Amino acid sequence: QVQLVESGGESVQAGGSLRLVCTASGLSFNDACMKWFRQVPGKEREGVASIDAYGNTKYAFFVRGRFTIARDNAENTLSLQMNSLTPEDTAMYYCAADRPGRCTSVYDASSILGWGQGTQVTVSS
């Protein structure tokens, strides 16, 4: 059973930085496509970033070079370094494990194997 636990979300001022971490278990982490999504109440969940088994990364258009996704296969962890945060980045952030080879689209959630419970990021102006 896939288990994903996120941490690192908190309230920050605009322009600040946060690092989210997701700890994974119950899957072959080294092979998985790992993704970050976010959701604001009343809106669809949207893809933020993805990283495949080889370390290739993709980002949503709104990231604009501010975020960096990374993985540590030795520790089974996924991270998202977020810089230059704006109030528009306020959302619940979710870690997700996708099937190997499903990293072609950051936005595709149709084959997600498991979701974390989410960590709240709040950015104030």
Side-chain angles (χ1 to χ4, degrees), residues 68-122:
T68 302
I69 188 172
R71 66 192 299 158
D72 184 337
N73 290 338
E75 298 290 332
N76 280 17
T77 59
L78 176 74
S79 64
L80 185 69
Q81 177 66 43
M82 304 188 295
N83 300 325
S84 301
L85 286 162
T86 73
E88 288 68 37
D89 295 314
T90 295
M92 186 73 79
Y93 283 72
Y94 296 90
C95 170
D98 206 339
R99 301 178 190 279
R102 297 292 295 186
C103 268
T104 53
S105 172
V106 172
Y107 310 103
D108 185 8
S110 62
S111 58
I112 295 295
L113 299 171
W115 295 93
Q117 83 290 348
T119 187
Q120 178 68 38
V121 171
T122 303

Side-chain angles (χ1 to χ4, degrees), residues 13-89:
Q13 295 279 340
S17 298
L18 282 176
R19 182 172 182 264
L20 308 183
V21 177
C22 170
T23 301
S25 60
L27 77 162
S28 180
F29 183 82
N30 290 16
D31 299 326
C33 165
M34 298 299 297
K35 297 180 176 180
W36 286 100
F37 288 81
R38 70 185 189 183
Q39 188 170 24
V40 175
K43 298 185 72 174
E44 293 283 323
R45 191 173 298 190
E46 62 181 356
V48 177
S50 67
I51 184 167
D52 69 12
Y54 305 101
N56 298 307
T57 59
K58 291 182 184 290
Y59 296 94
F61 70 95
F62 56 78
V63 169
R64 298 192 205 100
R66 301 178 297 130
F67 298 177
T68 302
I69 188 172
R71 66 192 299 158
D72 184 337
N73 290 338
E75 298 290 332
N76 280 17
T77 59
L78 176 74
S79 64
L80 185 69
Q81 177 66 43
M82 304 188 295
N83 300 325
S84 301
L85 286 162
T86 73
E88 288 68 37
D89 295 314

